[in-house]
Amino acid sequence: MKKIVFFASVLMSGSVLAQVGINEINPTATLDIKSKGNTNATKALEVNNSSGTEIFTVLDNGNVGVNVTNPTAKLHTNGSIRYENLPIVSGSLSPLAIKSDGTVGTYVPEPTKYLYMEMASSVTTSNFTLSDTGVYTNIPLTSAQSVTNTIIAGFGTDASATLNVNSTAISSSNVRYISFPDPGIYKINLSYYTSCTGSPADSSNNMLGIGTALFKANSANTSYSRQAVVRYNGLPRRNDTGAVIAGPYNFALPHTVFLVFETTAANEKIALFVNYGFGDTFTSNVCSFATPPGLSNKVTMNISKL
């Protein structure tokens, strides 16, 4: 027993043995361990608890694992981390973020991705009717109207499509759509104008309700489902005595639409439509996308990824 105590005291004495090397004949530290192998998976140090479970690991490539036998990062832990007595930091900070795989890094927010479109007043668009709630007129936006597209949205046309409204399926042709490669939440700001030439066929209501409908479809599907409708109630022009004048809807009626929609798969498509809601009717194709005096665009739209 005396020999054992003496040997331990010698090992602990800095004056007798200041540096110890394991696989290293010239140690440069109090304890200098050299890995036996030369592959990333080789373990330079392994510590096990009393049950034989590995709780601390250092690989040849410098990766350290706490409760991780094969660490894949410079510090790879399996379990909670606790800090105490952290200093108070002032000034600018670089916040940390944790990815889904557990990797921690500096968080740098991405610039807002968006699609901005303008349809000039000079663009020719087809006229349409406003008299039937089952008729949807596609707002004819194409890639030609794209000004900025950091979302990398796609554009296309479905020659034949089905618009599903509640339990009713409506056939539609040449549906122009916009697709989004990244699933997520999007906000749409749409502004456009409509006008109808002449007097309505039925003017007993003295009001024209026009809706803007948003439909969505899967990337490989031509069956669209209605997501939302935003309705604008247009009032006819009147004279000084309050009577409705001839051509009461010849002026540009404004439509401002703010909507939020979600895509859950890559390249899902949306399509936008004008739809008759109620009130005065125009049974012939005398309604159109209009441009008020002084404006250069009949349609503007911004879609941003939230």
Side-chain angles (χ1 to χ4, degrees), residues 64-135:
V64 177
V66 179
N67 292 326
V68 178
T69 58
N70 294 294
T72 58
K74 292 308 175 187
L75 178 59
H76 191 168
T77 68
N78 181 7
S80 60
I81 300 175
R82 180 174 176 176
Y83 298 94
E84 293 188 11
N85 299 319
L86 290 176
I88 297 175
V89 180
S90 61
S92 60
L93 299 174
S94 296
L96 294 179
I98 302 176
K99 295 174 63 176
S100 58
D101 63 358
T103 304
V104 179
T106 302
Y107 173 71
V108 179
E110 289 185 318
T112 300
K113 296 181 179 180
Y114 67 98
L115 167 67
Y116 178 66
M117 306 184 72
E118 292 179 348
M119 178 181 285
S121 58
S122 57
V123 175
T124 300
T125 54
S126 300
N127 288 7
F128 49 88
T129 65
L130 284 174
S131 60
D132 189 335
T133 57
V135 175

Side-chain angles (χ1 to χ4, degrees), residues 43 46-57 67 69:
K43 295 182 180 180
E46 177 182 321
V47 178
N48 296 272
N49 64 13
S50 59
S51 300
T53 301
E54 189 173 338
I55 58 174
F56 187 80
T57 304
N67 292 326
T69 58

Side-chain angles (χ1 to χ4, degrees), residues 72-298:
T72 58
K74 292 308 175 187
L75 178 59
H76 191 168
T77 68
N78 181 7
S80 60
I81 300 175
R82 180 174 176 176
Y83 298 94
E84 293 188 11
N85 299 319
L86 290 176
I88 297 175
V89 180
S90 61
S92 60
L93 299 174
S94 296
L96 294 179
I98 302 176
K99 295 174 63 176
S100 58
D101 63 358
T103 304
V104 179
T106 302
Y107 173 71
V108 179
E110 289 185 318
T112 300
K113 296 181 179 180
Y114 67 98
L115 167 67
Y116 178 66
M117 306 184 72
E118 292 179 348
M119 178 181 285
S121 58
S122 57
V123 175
T124 300
T125 54
S126 300
N127 288 7
F128 49 88
T129 65
L130 284 174
S131 60
D132 189 335
T133 57
V135 175
Y136 289 82
T137 301
N138 200 191
I139 298 178
L141 292 169
T142 68
S143 59
Q145 284 83 51
S146 175
V147 178
T148 303
N149 186 9
T150 58
I151 289 179
I152 317 299
F155 301 87
T157 301
D158 285 326
S160 178
T162 301
L163 307 181
N164 297 292
V165 181
N166 298 327
S167 58
T168 302
I170 302 170
S171 297
S172 186
S173 59
N174 298 321
V175 173
R176 295 182 181 180
Y177 64 80
I178 303 172
S179 60
F180 302 87
D182 295 330
I185 307 296
Y186 292 85
K187 180 181 68 174
I188 178 171
N189 295 350
L190 171 64
S191 178
Y192 70 99
Y193 299 83
T194 59
S195 67
C196 298
T197 302
S199 296
D202 175 9
S203 58
S204 60
N205 297 283
N206 289 332
M207 185 179 291
L208 177 58
I210 305 174
T212 304
L214 171 70
F215 285 76
K216 188 176 73 168
N218 294 331
S219 60
N221 204 323
T222 58
S223 179
Y224 289 78
S225 297
R226 192 175 69 180
Q227 304 296 301
V229 177
V230 177
R231 181 162 292 156
Y232 172 79
N233 299 333
L235 299 176
R237 290 188 297 183
R238 299 173 182 268
N239 60 22
D240 292 341
T241 63
V244 175
I245 66 174
Y249 299 103
N250 287 9
F251 65 100
L253 298 170
H255 306 271
T256 302
V257 179
F258 297 94
L259 285 173
V260 174
F261 65 92
E262 179 183 17
T263 63
T264 56
N267 298 312
E268 282 190 329
K269 306 179 292 187
I270 67 163
L272 296 161
F273 296 85
V274 177
N275 174 244
Y276 173 75
F278 64 91
D280 297 341
T281 61
F282 289 87
T283 56
S284 58
N285 292 333
V286 295
C287 299
S288 64
F289 298 103
T291 306
L295 295 184
S296 58
N297 297 306
K298 61 174 65 176

Side-chain angles (χ1 to χ4, degrees), residues 294-305:
L295 295 184
S296 58
N297 297 306
K298 61 174 65 176
V299 182
T300 59
M301 182 173 68
N302 187 78
I303 299 177
S304 55
K305 191 173 188 299

